[in-house]
Amino acid sequence: MLFFCLSRLPLSFAWFLQSHRANCKSTKMAELMENEVVRAFSTYAVIVVVKMLLMGPLTSYNRFARGSFSNEEDVARKSSEEKKQLLKTHPDVERVRRCHHNDLENIIPFVIVGLLYALTGPELSVALLHFRIFAGARIFHTIAYIGALPQPSRALSWVVGMLVTFSMAYRVLNTVLFL
Amino acid sequence: MLFFCLSRLPLSFAWFLQSHRANCKSTKMAELMENEVVRAFSTYAVIVVVKMLLMGPLTSYNRFARGSFSNEEDVARKSSEEKKQLLKTHPDVERVRRCHHNDLENIIPFVIVGLLYALTGPELSVALLHFRIFAGARIFHTIAYIGALPQPSRALSWVVGMLVTFSMAYRVLNTVLFL
Amino acid sequence: MLFFCLSRLPLSFAWFLQSHRANCKSTKMAELMENEVVRAFSTYAVIVVVKMLLMGPLTSYNRFARGSFSNEEDVARKSSEEKKQLLKTHPDVERVRRCHHNDLENIIPFVIVGLLYALTGPELSVALLHFRIFAGARIFHTIAYIGALPQPSRALSWVVGMLVTFSMAYRVLNTVLFL
């Protein structure tokens, strides 16, 4: 039974790719996605959100590599002595988690403000400048955090990302203010 | 005075329901919401976000039931000895909080990527498959986390949810890439 | 070199303001942003998200003022004895972080549900009521949390914000349900 399922996997994957390709032609995209600024926003938003999501597996990897878990059931098959050791925090795991948390605090506001910003119809070149600087700053922030690079590398990339979001927020309020 | 306010509550509630019903007919919905994929996305997005929000009251309930608070002012009326005991963490409260945090890390990226995905005009059946699998996986994840079900139930539901988001991200980048 | 860059700063800033102003007139805004409810939503969403973002610098400020850091590299230039003291948690820093975390848990769901709500075409007055109550409740929540005001001030503002989100979620499901 399991073998049958597994033997179908390559087929399913082909179908999966197919279904995503075919759609591009066969169905009408929402008009919104024909706007170049919205397309640029979507591209960079997906890139930074996927980067953020990948911190999850990285945390998992570190939990196994360093032997540091936070739930009883994760170490259920171990002896009680091993359990005690495995249920401790480890600096490397905590570092990745802090980086992940910082992403939540900064990337999600960027995406929210950025979507509204894209809808205000900014010039493409100015919009691209905002999106590119933000994506670059956040990717560098992750490298600086995980690699524990000397400060102020991490602090600077954090500030740059935040300034980009503030700049877009200013434009949104300036354009659509309705209290 | 308080009695007066309370006696008005049922009336307010009726007005509240009324205001939401009446609007459906009287005002024009944005065209976007006439798209079936966007409607399906909105439904599942609201379901998983409300599920996530409900982790807040669940944490509060556990804080009172287990006697575990994190702010001085929350236990202001207790004697100083009781305070010490009440300001400790409790495993059950921490478990709910970790579950809530995992929701933040996974459900919000799903909503962001899912919105952009819905705007790329995927086939309804493929889109529904994505949304349903994700909603099911995350609801099961919460049950597995809060109930401390044996692994790998929780790990699997977490991976499934993430794969759905990656699949949608792939489709978005494949359709609108604009760097 | 540095001086040259700095001397250009005022010019860059003028260009920045200019680029944001000029766009308003020269490019066509997306139709969506002509809708008054969407404009009101955008205004309040940006206000609460910027409020949330500002908790980051507030945490930083408290880390320096109280001498409480969480990364080795943040205190790299200190002597090893000072390091030990600086790498401890401080109640004031933890308080701001809990407030920030609570914002993430409540403001982001509001923005997601609120965007979908705005797209369902509610009456402007009802929508404004929702947005204004939420923004007021969350700003008061921050004051109550940072200022450690006696309970139930913080609990009440938290509940009010949540009820607003639930009310909008109810309207969205009621209008676009598509399972």
Side-chain angles (χ1 to χ4, degrees):
Chain A
M1 178 58 201
L2 183 69
F3 176 72
F4 177 77
C5 289
L6 287 177
S7 69
R8 286 291 178 102
L9 260 184
L11 256 173
S12 317
F13 194 65
W15 169 83
F16 163 79
L17 288 181
Q18 184 63 26
S19 75
H20 274 354
R21 288 273 160 69
N23 295 336
C24 308
K25 295 162 204 163
S26 64
T27 58
K28 221 190 81 184
M29 238 195 297
E31 251 177 83
L32 218 55
M33 277 298 180
E34 284 163 22
N35 184 318
E36 283 188 328
V37 175
V38 176
R39 284 179 56 196
F41 165 73
S42 303
T43 305
Y44 286 98
V46 167
I47 288 172
V48 290
V49 168
V50 165
K51 189 220 80 60
M52 179 171 77
L53 259 181
L54 288 175
M55 303 306 287
L58 188 61
T59 307
S60 282
Y61 168 79
N62 270 284
R63 282 198 187 286
F64 280 98
R66 314 296 182 204
S68 161
F69 298 88
S70 43
N71 292 295
E72 272 283 335
E73 65 268 26
D74 300 350
V75 291
R77 291 182 193 181
K78 309 283 177 178
S79 68
S80 62
E81 254 191 42
E82 274 182 303
K83 272 187 194 179
K84 263 192 191 170
Q85 275 205 316
L86 289 170
L87 288 175
K88 280 181 184 157
T89 57
H90 186 285
D92 285 4
V93 175
E94 296 309 305
R95 177 177 286 279
V96 179
R97 294 188 61 212
R98 283 198 301 274
C99 181
H100 195 168
H101 197 79
N102 194 286
D103 274 357
L104 282 175
E105 289 171 3
N106 288 281
I107 288 181
I108 297 168
F110 163 80
V111 172
I112 293 169
V113 176
L115 175 65
L116 300 173
Y117 170 74
L119 293 177
T120 63
E123 259 179 55
L124 181 60
S125 58
V126 180
L128 275 173
L129 197 68
H130 281 85
F131 303 156
R132 281 171 186 161
I133 292 177
F134 184 86
R138 291 311 300 186
I139 289 169
F140 181 76
H141 180 270
T142 304
I143 295 169
Y145 216 143
I146 305 297
L149 300 191
Q151 288 280 30
S153 57
R154 198 186 84 227
L156 273 180
S157 57
W158 174 68
V159 168
V160 168
M162 201 172 277
L163 288 180
V164 170
T165 309
F166 283 140
S167 164
M168 297 192 305
Y170 169 77
R171 152 92 184 177
V172 173
L173 289 184
N174 197 21
T175 322
V176 305
L177 194 70
F178 192 106
L179 283 167
Chain B
M1 177 62 199
L2 183 71
F3 177 73
F4 178 77
C5 288
L6 287 176
S7 69
R8 286 291 176 101
L9 260 184
L11 255 173
S12 317
F13 195 65
W15 169 83
F16 163 79
L17 289 179
Q18 185 62 24
S19 76
H20 275 354
R21 287 272 160 71
N23 295 337
C24 307
K25 294 163 205 163
S26 64
T27 59
K28 221 189 83 183
M29 238 195 297
E31 253 178 81
L32 219 55
M33 277 296 180
E34 283 163 22
N35 184 317
E36 284 188 327
V37 175
V38 176
R39 284 178 55 194
F41 165 73
S42 303
T43 305
Y44 286 97
V46 167
I47 288 172
V48 290
V49 168
V50 165
K51 188 219 81 58
M52 180 171 77
L53 258 182
L54 288 174
M55 303 306 287
L58 188 60
T59 307
S60 282
Y61 168 78
N62 270 282
R63 280 197 189 286
F64 280 98
R66 314 297 183 203
S68 161
F69 298 87
S70 42
N71 292 295
E72 271 283 334
E73 67 268 26
D74 301 351
V75 291
R77 290 181 193 183
K78 309 283 178 179
S79 69
S80 62
E81 254 190 43
E82 274 181 303
K83 272 187 194 180
K84 262 192 192 171
Q85 274 205 317
L86 289 170
L87 287 175
K88 279 181 184 158
T89 58
H90 187 285
D92 286 4
V93 175
E94 296 309 304
R95 177 176 286 280
V96 179
R97 293 188 62 211
R98 283 197 301 275
C99 181
H100 196 169
H101 196 79
N102 193 286
D103 274 356
L104 282 174
E105 289 171 2
N106 288 279
I107 288 180
I108 296 167
F110 163 81
V111 172
I112 293 169
V113 176
L115 175 66
L116 301 173
Y117 170 75
L119 293 177
T120 64
E123 261 179 53
L124 182 60
S125 58
V126 180
L128 275 173
L129 197 67
H130 281 85
F131 303 155
R132 282 172 186 160
I133 292 177
F134 184 86
R138 290 311 301 186
I139 289 168
F140 181 76
H141 180 271
T142 304
I143 296 169
Y145 215 144
I146 304 296
L149 299 191
Q151 288 280 29
S153 57
R154 198 188 83 226
L156 273 180
S157 56
W158 174 67
V159 167
V160 167
M162 201 171 278
L163 288 180
V164 170
T165 309
F166 283 141
S167 164
M168 296 192 306
Y170 169 77
R171 153 91 186 178
V172 173
L173 288 184
N174 198 21
T175 320
V176 305
L177 194 69
F178 192 105
L179 283 166
Chain C
M1 175 63 199
L2 183 71
F3 176 74
F4 178 77
C5 288
L6 287 177
S7 68
R8 287 291 176 99
L9 261 182
L11 256 173
S12 317
F13 194 65
W15 169 83
F16 161 80
L17 289 179
Q18 185 62 27
S19 75
H20 275 354
R21 287 274 158 71
N23 296 334
C24 308
K25 295 163 204 164
S26 64
T27 58
K28 221 189 82 184
M29 239 196 296
E31 253 177 81
L32 220 55
M33 276 298 180
E34 283 162 23
N35 183 318
E36 283 188 329
V37 175
V38 176
R39 283 178 56 195
F41 165 73
S42 303
T43 305
Y44 286 98
V46 167
I47 289 171
V48 290
V49 168
V50 165
K51 188 219 80 59
M52 180 170 77
L53 259 181
L54 287 175
M55 303 306 286
L58 188 59
T59 306
S60 281
Y61 169 78
N62 270 282
R63 282 197 189 286
F64 280 98
R66 314 298 182 203
S68 160
F69 297 88
S70 43
N71 292 295
E72 271 283 333
E73 67 267 27
D74 300 351
V75 291
R77 289 182 194 183
K78 308 285 178 179
S79 68
S80 62
E81 252 191 44
E82 273 182 302
K83 272 187 193 179
K84 261 192 192 169
Q85 274 205 317
L86 289 170
L87 287 174
K88 278 180 185 159
T89 57
H90 186 285
D92 286 4
V93 175
E94 296 310 304
R95 177 176 287 279
V96 179
R97 294 188 61 212
R98 283 197 302 275
C99 181
H100 196 169
H101 197 80
N102 194 286
D103 274 356
L104 282 175
E105 289 171 3
N106 288 281
I107 288 180
I108 296 167
F110 163 79
V111 172
I112 293 169
V113 175
L115 175 65
L116 301 173
Y117 169 75
L119 293 177
T120 63
E123 260 179 53
L124 181 61
S125 59
V126 180
L128 275 173
L129 197 67
H130 282 85
F131 303 155
R132 282 172 186 161
I133 292 176
F134 184 86
R138 291 310 302 185
I139 289 167
F140 181 75
H141 180 271
T142 304
I143 296 168
Y145 215 143
I146 304 296
L149 299 192
Q151 287 280 29
S153 58
R154 198 186 85 224
L156 273 180
S157 57
W158 174 67
V159 168
V160 167
M162 201 172 276
L163 288 180
V164 170
T165 309
F166 282 140
S167 164
M168 297 192 305
Y170 169 78
R171 152 92 186 179
V172 174
L173 288 184
N174 197 21
T175 321
V176 304
L177 194 70
F178 191 106
L179 283 167

